Amino acid sequence: MADCLSKGRLIAGFVRGIPAEYVWYGVNPMESRGRFEEAYDLIMTAWTNPVWSFAGKFFQLKDCAIWPRPMQQPHPPVWIAARSAESIEWCVKRHLPTAQVYQTTGQIEDTFGYYRKIARDQGWEASADQFILCRHIYVDESDRKAQEMAEPAMRYFFSVYNRGFNDAINQVAADQQKLLSQLTSERSFNYFREGNRERIDFSKLDWDGLLQTGYVISGAPDTVARQIKAQMEQVGSDHFMGMFHIGNLAHEKVISSLNLFKKEIMPTLKRSIF
């Protein structure tokens, strides 16, 4: 439906989810990877066959047909959020582009670097078109004004994120590490370079820390353009996905930021070669 309404502009993004989402819905986290991979196969089946049936471990459907069918054929492009070694290897096997967001720029560089290594091991070269850098972003007239608007919105975002996810996990799961181990293995993050393996609690960083780690891109148009170019060059990505609506940022500020991005930054990025 979304592909038809947008006249073939849909890019579908699939994520496996985090532990709290399984806890909330009473789903065994041990089933996480199997459910995700089977769901992907189910969606591909539905998108590419006029009439179809699916008999899997988690999903069973018989004699189905979706309507309207996707405008893009054989199906809309798919981006996958992948961080663990197992998820990256699954993407490489299917030549699926991968996106990353809630890591430092150096950590994303490692994640995309591992994708490239596995692709070479399998006999093909992953181009920059395979990678998507995703960031919170806010653009204003000056760096100072950008901080004044974006920093409180980021703090609100963190307060909701921490309360909504972490507290729920702690209340339901007595051993959070045991829960996390259900979704990952011992080798899931061994590919990270020394110094990049620790998962950072970005909510505890000050504004400069958020900018330096790359978690947030913010400032005047020229500042934002430099930050985007630097990060994309470092991680080797051809795609940038901006999350312009941050926390409780006022709608008019989101639109203003988008308009500045379109007017002042997009022309600069289009002239750049990453």
Side-chain angles (χ1 to χ4, degrees):
M1 180 72 75
D3 197 46
C4 293
L5 288 172
S6 64
K7 295 181 171 56
R9 296 174 58 222
L10 174 69
I11 298 174
F14 298 164
V15 297
R16 188 160 64 102
I18 62 172
E21 292 164 332
Y22 292 89
V23 170
W24 289 341
Y25 291 103
V27 177
N28 184 352
M30 290 274 299
E31 299 175 354
S32 167
R33 192 171 301 282
R35 283 183 176 274
F36 176 83
E37 294 178 2
E38 190 173 300
Y40 173 84
D41 292 338
L42 169 58
I43 294 169
M44 292 299 110
T45 299
W47 275 349
T48 55
N49 294 277
V51 179
W52 51 273
S53 297
F54 190 90
K57 178 180 179 181
F58 303 103
F59 306 100
Q60 299 85 35
L61 295 146
K62 185 172 176 58
D63 297 333
C64 299
I66 60 169
W67 188 262
R69 300 200 57 73
M71 180 172 286
Q72 298 178 84
Q73 292 295 320
H75 59 74
V78 174
W79 290 353
I80 304 288
R83 181 173 179 264
S84 69
E86 294 89 344
S87 293
I88 294 167
E89 292 159 10
W90 183 86
C91 288
V92 171
K93 185 177 179 180
R94 291 158 182 79
H95 290 231
L96 289 168
T98 187
Q100 262 304 310
V101 54
Y102 295 130
Q103 299 193 87
T104 68
T105 308
Q107 288 172 329
I108 294 177
E109 182 183 8
D110 286 357
T111 297
F112 291 170
Y114 185 69
Y115 186 111
R116 292 187 177 91
K117 175 188 179 300
I118 298 302
R120 285 193 294 271
D121 291 345
Q122 295 187 10
W124 62 283
E125 286 292 329
S127 69
D129 192 53
Q130 295 290 128
F131 305 106
I132 304 97
L133 173 69
C134 182
R135 290 303 198 198
H136 291 289
I137 179 172
Y138 179 73
V139 192
D140 213 318
E141 295 175 355
S142 68
D143 292 355
R144 180 182 60 80
K145 286 185 176 181
Q147 180 178 354
E148 288 176 356
M149 294 306 305
E151 186 172 13
M154 278 303 315
R155 295 304 163 198
Y156 179 87
F157 166 82
F158 284 131
S159 71
V160 173
Y161 181 91
N162 288 336
R163 184 168 59 246
F165 290 105
N166 295 341
D167 287 353
I169 294 174
N170 292 335
Q171 290 174 17
V172 177
D175 185 348
Q176 187 175 350
Q177 288 305 118
K178 183 177 180 181
L179 179 62
L180 289 170
S181 71
Q182 305 288 321
L183 277 75
T184 58
S185 71
E186 187 176 342
R187 74 178 189 89
S188 290
F189 309 116
N190 285 345
Y191 68 83
F192 281 102
R193 290 171 294 179
E194 195 67 36
N196 281 346
R197 293 179 182 174
E198 181 182 355
R199 200 73 188 262
I200 295 176
D201 184 351
F202 292 97
S203 68
K204 295 180 179 178
L205 300 182
D206 60 15
W207 184 248
D208 287 341
L210 292 174
L211 293 174
Q212 289 167 8
T213 58
Y215 189 91
V216 174
I217 290 178
S218 181
D222 59 337
T223 301
V224 169
R226 286 197 302 271
Q227 291 173 354
I228 293 175
K229 290 177 184 178
Q231 288 202 39
M232 292 182 73
E233 288 173 355
Q234 181 175 343
V235 305
S237 167
D238 249 4
H239 298 287
F240 175 75
M241 180 166 62
M243 298 186 292
F244 285 83
H245 186 189
I246 303 172
N248 59 351
L249 188 64
H251 179 69
E252 61 268 21
K253 289 297 182 180
V254 176
I255 299 303
S256 173
S257 175
L258 277 165
N259 287 335
L260 279 171
F261 184 84
K262 177 183 177 182
K263 180 182 177 181
E264 304 290 343
I265 299 172
M266 282 182 65
T268 302
L269 297 180
K270 287 180 178 178
R271 291 194 299 269
S272 300
I273 300 176
F274 300 110

